[in-house]
Amino acid sequence: MKRSGLSAFRPQLARLERRLFLKQGLSLGALSLLSGCTLKDDDAVDRLLFAMSRFNDKMQAALFDPAKLAPTYAEGDVTAPFPFNAYYEEKDVPRIDGESYRLRLSGLIADKRPWSLNELRALPQARQITRLVCVEGWSAIGKWRGVALREFLERIGADLTARYVGFKCADKYYSSIDMASALHPQTLLALDFADAKYGYPLRLRIPTKLGFKNPKFIHEMFVANDYPGGYWEDKGYNWFSGS
Ligand SMILES: Nc1nc2c(c(=O)[nH]1)N[C@H]1C(S)=C(S)[C@@H](COP(=O)(O)O)O[C@H]1N2
Ligand SMILES: [Mo]
């Protein structure tokens, strides 16, 4: 990111950067990576930062509710078409064969037998209509169906006293969440997709956290006490990013 030519905006920029950092653990460098914005002039920086800080205020108030249940919506509220997002272009999404797919398990789990899609589908299915909030400044209401992560963790004999649940994806993406969030009633391993690009065959859907904490194309799940980080998290983005 180019930071020259911003001298007139320095105090304002410093203030906003500090505010973003305090609220979201977000540096300007990470922000420019996440938004794909080159921030090449004062105006672009200014617009982005003001939009981001407004966005954060509104979203934190709505998302990070003390009741700790993310808001749910009606069928008619679903955003169509749903936005696609990844660290690469849509044409490069991994294509995974559902027949041969197995979810691999590792770490602090008693039964590490891999799971096929049919086995996952045979478990009780939960559904939700919730809002996915991306830090880039957009959000959309979507519909997801799949296995409650709590149900799955119990079934495989995961150590529920461990600190983290981590996910490795078929692209280079990875992420991790705290155990309390993994056991939250709205946290799903989603199995149904309007289109494969949204994470087929398995994605985490966690409406109490920001979009980047919702890994798609998951091929391995693990339970650990060592901090696993994540793709954006390791680039400086706030790890918790949720309620
Ligand atoms: N495997 C993988 N999962 C990912 C990403 C990614 O690049 N790869 N991007 C994340 C980000 S930043 C967002 S906002 C959401 C977007 O999900 P969507 O395509 O369903 O809108 O996926 C998240 N999960
Ligand atoms: Mo995102």
Side-chain angles (χ1 to χ4, degrees):
M1 180 178 50
K2 193 157 161 264
R3 294 288 295 273
S4 57
L6 296 172
S7 44
F9 287 84
R10 281 253 183 270
Q12 180 188 57
L13 206 54
R15 203 162 57 239
L16 283 165
E17 183 169 26
R18 188 175 140 72
R19 183 144 171 250
L20 281 167
F21 183 77
L22 287 174
K23 298 199 93 179
Q24 294 277 58
L26 188 58
S27 69
L28 281 174
L31 176 59
S32 91
L33 275 172
L34 279 161
S35 64
C37 174
T38 49
L39 304 183
K40 54 187 173 306
D41 57 56
D42 294 351
D43 263 17
V45 173
D46 201 33
R47 278 197 309 272
L48 179 65
L49 288 177
F50 274 110
M52 285 296 305
S53 69
R54 268 203 311 275
F55 169 80
N56 283 343
D57 288 344
K58 252 170 76 180
M59 281 307 161
Q60 297 229 353
L63 252 189
F64 308 159
D65 187 271
K68 300 228 171 174
L69 270 188
T72 58
Y73 300 86
E75 200 71 48
D77 299 328
V78 171
T79 309
F82 197 82
F84 163 86
N85 196 37
Y87 65 86
Y88 46 81
E89 285 174 47
E90 201 171 315
K91 63 172 172 51
D92 297 323
V93 293
R95 284 170 226 288
I96 298 167
D97 171 42
E99 283 292 310
S100 60
Y101 174 84
R102 297 291 180 276
L103 172 65
R104 290 201 297 265
L105 301 177
S106 62
L108 306 171
I109 293 171
D111 182 359
K112 296 194 184 70
R113 182 178 55 94
W115 285 66
S116 72
L117 288 181
N118 283 340
E119 290 171 320
L120 288 167
R121 286 187 184 285
L123 297 177
Q125 305 289 300
R127 50 174 74 237
Q128 66 174 255
I129 300 176
T130 50
R131 187 185 291 276
L132 184 138
V133 181
C134 176
V135 72
E136 287 179 41
W138 57 268
S139 81
I141 295 171
K143 198 169 141 179
W144 291 274
R145 184 172 176 273
V147 181
L149 182 56
R150 173 191 277 273
E151 163 96 30
F152 189 62
L153 288 169
E154 285 169 352
R155 209 165 278 243
I156 60 181
D159 178 356
L160 303 183
T161 69
R163 296 173 72 172
Y164 306 109
V165 180
F167 302 90
K168 296 179 188 172
C169 307
D171 49 14
K172 293 201 171 69
Y173 207 76
Y174 58 104
S175 190
S176 56
I177 57 174
D178 53 291
M179 184 59 78
S181 297
L183 299 175
H184 184 282
Q186 289 174 306
T187 304
L188 294 187
L189 288 175
L191 288 159
D192 285 326
F193 301 91
D195 187 278
K197 68 189 175 197
Y198 302 116
Y200 181 85
L202 191 70
R203 84 105 35 107
L204 184 69
R205 178 57 195 135
I206 178 163
T208 51
K209 290 191 187 288
L210 292 174
F212 79 96
K213 304 294 292 184
N214 290 243
K216 310 194 279 189
F217 321 108
I218 294 169
H219 67 186
E220 183 174 336
M221 188 186 88
F222 61 93
V223 174
N225 280 315
D226 295 329
Y227 175 69
Y231 183 91
W232 288 118
E233 293 88 332
D234 293 349
K235 290 179 168 56
Y237 202 72
N238 173 264
W239 177 76
F240 197 74
S241 286
S243 57

